[in-house]
Amino acid sequence: MLGGVESRTVSPVFVGRADELAVLTDALERAAGREPQALLIGGEAGVGKTRLTEEFLGEAARSGAVVAVGGCVEIGAEGLPFAPFSTALRTLNRLLPGELAAAGAGQEGELARILPELGDPPRGPHDEESTARLFELTARMLEGLAADRTVVLVLEDLHWADTSTRHLLSYLFRTLTSGRLVLVATYRADDVHRRHPLRPLLAELDRLRTVQRIELPRFNRAEVRRQLAGILAQEPDEAFVDSVFDRSDGNAFFVEELAACRESGCPAGLTESLRDLLLVRVEVLPDDAERVVRTVAEGGSTVEYPLLLAVAGLSEDELIEALRAAVGANILLATADGDGYRFRHSLVREAVSDDLLPGERARVNRRYAEALEADDTLIRAEERVIRLASYWYYANDPAKALPAVLAASVAARLRHAYSEQLRLLERALDLWESTPEEVRETLRPADYTEVYPPCGCDPATTPLQRLDLLAEAAVAARFGGERERALKITKTALRLLEEESDPLRAAWFWTERSRLVSSLARGDGWEELAMAQELVKGLPPSQVHAEVLVRAAGWGMLHNPGPDNLDAAERAAAYARMIGAEEIELNARITVGSLLTDAGEPERGLAEMHAVKERATRLGLGMLAGRAHINLSSQLESMGRSREAVELAEQGARLVRKSRLLDSEAWISGNMAESLYSLGRWDEAAEAARRTLSVGQSAAPRGSASARLCHLALARGELAEATSQLSAAHAHFGTHDIQPQHRIPLFRLAVGIAAGEGRIADVRAETAAAIDYGFPLGQHRYAWPLLLASASAEADARGLPAADAGREAALAALRAAARTLAAPVPVWVAHAAFFRAELLRAEAGDTAADWAEVEQAVRPLERPYLLARARHRLAEAMLAAGGDRESATALLREAYAAAGQLGARRLREDLSLLARRARLPLTAADTPAEDRAPETDPVEALGLTNREREVLRLVAAGHSNRRIAEELFISPKTASVHVSNILAKLGVAGRGEAAALAHRLRLFGPVTTAAGAPPPRV
């Protein structure tokens, strides 16, 4: 529409940018090889980002790629949620309707939050994972679209992007791993000041090696000359080139404006400032055209023709003539779909908008708002609410603006654009006092809020209050990941409630604050929950009261499980049932089931959780069904039923994956990793743990995954990796509110690493700290492995000089701690037996009978690693006692084969050395024992020379390099060289680890057991 009347101010010749275009076309070629590409194009306003993008899109189209462009929309202080993605996906839907429908099949409702053409989005659910689910679905849809064709997606003007758009773009840049997709985003570098919201995203993306960033410089003089030649269709004179280059400073858009100004005869003296330069060609337009341009400037990035006709105050013929003049002057352009108009460059729009008088701006915005209220078909339905809110706000009419802004906040929530919802609610709070009371009294909580805390009044008839908006804003901030802001909002609300007597609402805000304090690692949240409990005492039954009781019971289950918390959970379930709050009741029943299992009633507890799982699944309550699977799989593992736990976790993962409940999937995958480790399926366990890290949104499941990977690394003898994963786990969990189920395993891992590195003092320190921390009800599942690891470390360190001092006290502390632990099922009975045998070994009092008892207890448990360790110790004890060598050989072979399958390098080395010392064949292919050569020296078997043997003996005794040099009459430097060689040959990282290995393998002493009666048993 009017596209052929513009004058020529743009060079038909593409000037410069050859290197930048080459980067983009190279990305296009790599994407064709199914390697997704992500690029950022930055540069100051007018430098040529759009021209470069257009050239690239032309290349892409000629190569057969499908291209789609979406621009961010500047509407007031907040952008339209997902605007560039909606526009680009709308193009893809027009070009590839069948393919897009197939890629989004089954998830049309959720995806409609970004692309409304797919249908009506559901009203819920709304939770902290809602946005992540939407982002995951969008990523998978794009990957599906780009599976068989190259798709180029360009998002322009990222500096105007709304928060949700920025978050989605970041998610796509980080997670797209397959498909022939090129994702390009452009932004104005000069607009991104230190506090601009885009700045953190750019810093984040700079750290991703998968994202290429292109910064466009200004043109040099030669490039300006070529640009002018293209515009003028002739070679410019050198004086004019010098003048333009000096005044434009190489900015491509200003070069065009200066050339156009010369062509239209603008007086040179009127364009000294850049702003005047941009306005001068507007001011020479006919009056109607100038008025239309000023109206379009205030309408947004693009103004639809029907809307402009309703607002301009001109007849259609007059409007078309005015538009023809503006388009002919190359100030306005028709949009690609031919349905509206936009400025050729946003710099001109900004200059025109800034030139409007305050009263003029308000009047134009009022016209837009009145036109939209009179006819809701003038623009797309999904844009109407947010643009109406913006127009009324800038019309300076609070009475009209407040309801419009609140309606826009509801629309943003429906699209899971919680950050935009929060900004709109904050704008509503700013408008609150200036809005006439008679207008506020017509507003209802039922229309604008969903988290309204029931207070004994009817939300459909009771006027909306400021506290209602604060409640909605707090939840929107939490859902949008802005927990700090949410915490400040709850503080504001509670300060207001100090002046009012509304205990139920105060309890609601304290409960919300408890959740936030805990998630921000500012505390464990109990103080806030206690305040809420105190406030609801004596109040009539309500949903808030039920929620407080359930959260308190859940807190107790995680932090201090015991009979009192079981009673509290049962009361909470009964209370929720009484008021008909089934969702809250089901949540409480999961807590009840978990506590019953911990309290010694496993079948009753499992039955309760199974019943909740089935009911929640039938009702479509994905979060609750996910929590039931999480707790069930965890409790089954606690009972030693690992195979059942894996099967149930797989079912739960499939269920929550359909709903894109990412944190729920992370927890389930983490539980699966634990059970797979127990079953000896270590590669699968590592994969499940890494899945947790990739999908987990919260710190706790990610911390648990790092702990699982640390456990695996320890068992495989990879101490450096174990140390790294333990540090990662601590970083995820933070220092506040580490629950027993997380803290005790970290103690156990620290013990394992310290033992592997020969730091027996640190083993004892970590063990003492764990014992002092305590082992609450149900935590025996974590305490037994911890105590066993400590007892094994003490046994391995027997004979180490540094271990003598404090050994008796350490063993006594272990015995005392073990007496407090339950062993309710066979797996923990076996751990208790293993623990007792290790304590005896630590005092040289273990016998083959002790280890036979352990092996017999472990054998039926489907715990291959634990069984291989038990068989190692049993074979060692049998050989030391001169027992049946054939039986010992069979045990060693079975343990060696299991260690090989698992990848347990340390255990495999221990078994190999024991077999060599005892001259036993580890495989059928080995030489029979009677035909073997005399026993090989175990030190020589490790490849150590005689001198290195002497040095290792002194290292194992705890001597320094200087002391070793004195003992062996060599220099300290030579001693250091020997130590370095020994570490390399043993494959260890330090002298402590070398000493621990020497003592663990008994390299300098016979494999015997001290005579005499064994010490007392625990």
Side-chain angles (χ1 to χ4, degrees), residues 186-468:
T186 71
Y187 67 94
R188 271 196 209 166
D190 50 331
D191 270 15
V192 184
H193 50 77
R194 190 175 65 176
R195 302 190 65 175
H196 194 286
L198 181 61
R199 195 179 183 93
L201 173 61
L202 295 177
E204 174 193 340
L205 297 180
D206 276 343
R207 293 190 290 271
L208 296 178
R209 289 185 294 177
T210 55
V211 179
Q212 297 184 74
R213 188 162 168 181
I214 301 172
E215 291 288 344
L216 295 188
R218 296 176 179 179
F219 282 162
N220 58 33
R221 186 186 183 282
E223 289 167 331
V224 168
R225 188 180 188 284
R226 289 181 59 204
Q227 184 185 8
L228 287 171
I231 294 172
L232 302 174
Q234 63 183 19
E235 289 296 324
D237 62 76
E238 296 304 319
F240 181 57
V241 173
D242 289 339
S243 172
V244 170
F245 180 65
D246 289 342
R247 297 180 66 190
S248 68
D249 203 16
N251 183 289
F253 177 66
F254 293 141
V255 171
E256 293 173 354
E257 289 299 300
L258 288 165
C261 194
R262 176 189 179 184
E263 290 297 295
S264 59
C266 298
L270 296 179
T271 60
E272 293 303 320
S273 76
L274 295 178
R275 179 173 170 276
D276 288 343
L277 170 65
L278 297 176
L279 289 175
V280 67
R281 289 195 300 116
V282 174
E283 292 170 348
V284 299
L285 289 171
D287 290 346
D288 283 351
E290 182 180 0
R291 187 162 59 251
V292 167
V293 166
R294 292 179 181 276
T295 301
V296 172
E298 201 60 21
S301 300
T302 299
V303 178
E304 297 77 358
Y305 176 75
L307 177 60
L308 187 57
L309 179 61
V311 171
L314 300 172
S315 69
E316 187 164 11
D317 288 342
E318 291 171 333
L319 176 61
I320 289 175
E321 285 305 312
L323 287 169
R324 186 179 299 277
V327 170
N330 213 16
I331 294 169
L332 296 182
L333 294 176
T335 56
D337 58 10
D339 190 41
Y341 292 87
R342 64 177 180 85
F343 279 83
R344 189 176 75 81
H345 202 287
S346 57
L347 282 174
V348 181
R349 183 178 67 81
E350 291 165 16
V352 173
S353 179
D354 289 344
D355 195 51
L356 294 175
L357 298 172
E360 186 181 9
R361 175 176 289 108
R363 187 180 71 231
V364 172
N365 276 281
R366 175 177 290 278
R367 285 179 182 170
Y368 275 115
E370 289 173 344
L372 286 182
E373 284 195 340
D375 186 352
D376 60 8
T377 66
L378 294 176
I379 63 175
R380 287 192 179 92
E382 70 269 16
E383 296 184 14
R384 180 181 179 276
V385 176
I386 182 69
R387 286 173 65 177
L388 186 62
S390 179
Y391 293 146
W392 277 126
Y393 181 78
Y394 288 104
N396 296 324
D397 189 338
K400 287 284 194 177
L402 179 60
V405 167
L406 288 172
S409 76
V410 174
R413 180 181 63 218
L414 190 62
R415 301 184 75 175
H416 291 336
Y418 301 115
S419 295
E420 282 62 55
Q421 181 194 6
L422 174 61
R423 302 294 174 266
L424 289 161
L425 288 167
E426 288 176 329
R427 176 167 285 183
L429 288 165
D430 289 340
L431 290 166
W432 188 261
E433 294 300 330
S434 58
T435 302
E437 186 174 351
E438 57 270 21
V439 173
R440 297 202 306 260
E441 287 180 351
T442 65
L443 304 175
R444 296 291 178 266
D447 296 327
Y448 302 115
T449 62
E450 284 192 359
V451 301
Y452 179 80
C455 58
C457 51
D458 182 0
T461 59
T462 305
L464 184 73
Q465 297 185 30
R466 186 181 180 86
L467 279 170
D468 302 327

Side-chain angles (χ1 to χ4, degrees), residues 472-801:
E472 194 76 15
V475 175
R478 176 163 58 83
F479 287 175
E482 299 182 50
R483 294 186 177 93
E484 289 283 1
R485 181 66 187 131
L487 198 64
K488 291 178 181 177
I489 292 170
T490 60
K491 184 177 181 180
T492 300
L494 288 168
R495 192 181 299 119
L496 285 176
L497 283 162
E498 290 175 0
E499 304 169 5
E500 302 180 24
S501 178
D502 197 339
L504 204 64
R505 287 189 181 180
W508 185 92
F509 278 105
W510 279 114
T511 305
E512 186 69 13
R513 192 169 177 81
S514 168
R515 187 201 308 259
L516 292 165
V517 164
S518 178
S519 65
L520 286 168
R522 302 288 178 78
D524 59 15
W526 178 247
E527 182 180 347
E528 292 78 12
L529 273 179
M531 288 288 295
Q533 286 182 290
E534 191 64 30
L535 285 163
V536 297
K537 281 182 180 178
L539 296 181
S542 70
Q543 193 164 325
V544 171
H545 197 158
E547 184 69 29
V548 169
L549 292 176
V550 170
R551 287 192 60 79
W555 188 97
M557 177 189 72
L558 296 175
H559 294 82
N560 188 28
D564 291 345
N565 286 303
L566 176 56
D567 291 342
E570 289 176 331
R571 287 197 306 273
Y575 192 97
R577 190 180 307 118
M578 177 184 70
I579 66 169
E582 185 174 15
E583 190 169 345
I584 296 176
E585 178 199 347
L586 292 173
N587 197 19
R589 287 174 60 191
I590 295 174
T591 303
V592 168
S594 299
L595 289 169
L596 282 171
T597 307
D598 290 340
E601 297 187 63
E603 296 308 322
R604 184 181 163 204
L606 292 176
E608 182 76 346
M609 286 188 282
H610 272 294
V612 173
K613 172 176 70 73
E614 298 301 326
R615 178 64 177 165
T617 302
R618 281 198 303 273
L619 294 175
L621 301 174
M623 291 283 285
L624 275 177
R627 185 181 176 224
H629 281 91
I630 293 165
N631 286 30
L632 269 169
S633 57
S634 176
Q635 292 297 344
L636 286 168
E637 174 62 24
S638 177
M639 296 164 64
R641 295 158 62 173
S642 302
R643 192 172 295 277
E644 290 180 61
V646 169
E647 292 172 358
L648 189 128
E650 288 172 341
Q651 295 171 12
R654 286 193 295 269
L655 176 70
V656 299
R657 203 171 287 140
K658 289 179 182 177
S659 301
R660 296 301 193 269
L661 298 172
L662 299 182
D663 260 358
S664 297
E665 183 184 352
W667 279 117
I668 291 172
S669 295
N671 287 353
M672 194 187 307
E674 182 180 12
S675 297
L676 289 167
Y677 173 88
S678 297
L679 292 169
R681 294 157 60 180
W682 286 5
D683 290 341
E684 294 175 72
E687 184 180 346
R690 286 191 288 268
R691 175 68 180 169
T692 298
L693 287 172
S694 70
V695 302
Q697 305 296 300
S698 301
R702 295 170 64 83
S704 294
S706 293
R708 306 269 190 266
L709 292 171
C710 176
H711 207 158
L712 272 168
L714 259 183
R716 286 174 161 161
E718 301 165 354
L719 291 181
E721 173 66 11
T723 301
S724 173
Q725 292 293 348
L726 181 58
S727 296
H730 276 293
H732 287 308
F733 286 128
T735 57
H736 293 78
D737 190 30
I738 300 186
Q739 301 158 10
Q741 63 175 330
H742 305 314
R743 189 68 188 93
I744 298 171
L746 296 187
F747 281 126
R748 182 262 175 273
L749 295 171
V751 164
I753 292 172
E757 295 176 348
R759 297 182 283 109
I760 190 63
D762 290 338
V763 168
R764 291 170 181 170
E766 292 288 347
T767 304
I771 293 172
D772 185 59
Y773 179 85
F775 306 130
L777 180 68
Q779 302 305 307
H780 55 272
R781 63 182 294 185
Y782 306 116
W784 277 121
L786 165 67
L787 296 185
L788 176 56
S790 298
S792 298
E794 291 290 350
D796 289 341
R798 176 168 54 86
L800 192 66

Side-chain angles (χ1 to χ4, degrees), residues 72-141:
C72 299
V73 180
E74 185 184 29
I75 301 181
E78 70 291 316
L80 188 65
F82 304 119
F85 284 103
S86 298
T87 303
L89 289 175
R90 191 173 289 117
T91 300
L92 292 176
N93 192 35
R94 186 176 67 252
L95 298 175
L96 304 168
E99 292 85 347
L100 189 139
Q107 300 293 344
E108 292 85 355
E110 283 295 319
L111 291 169
R113 301 183 195 279
I114 292 182
L115 183 57
E117 283 81 352
L118 293 179
D120 295 326
R123 293 199 63 81
H126 295 290
D127 51 59
E128 291 182 51
E129 296 188 33
S130 298
T131 303
R133 286 198 299 274
L134 179 59
F135 289 2
E136 174 73 4
L137 287 170
T138 305
R140 300 293 77 79
M141 180 179 68

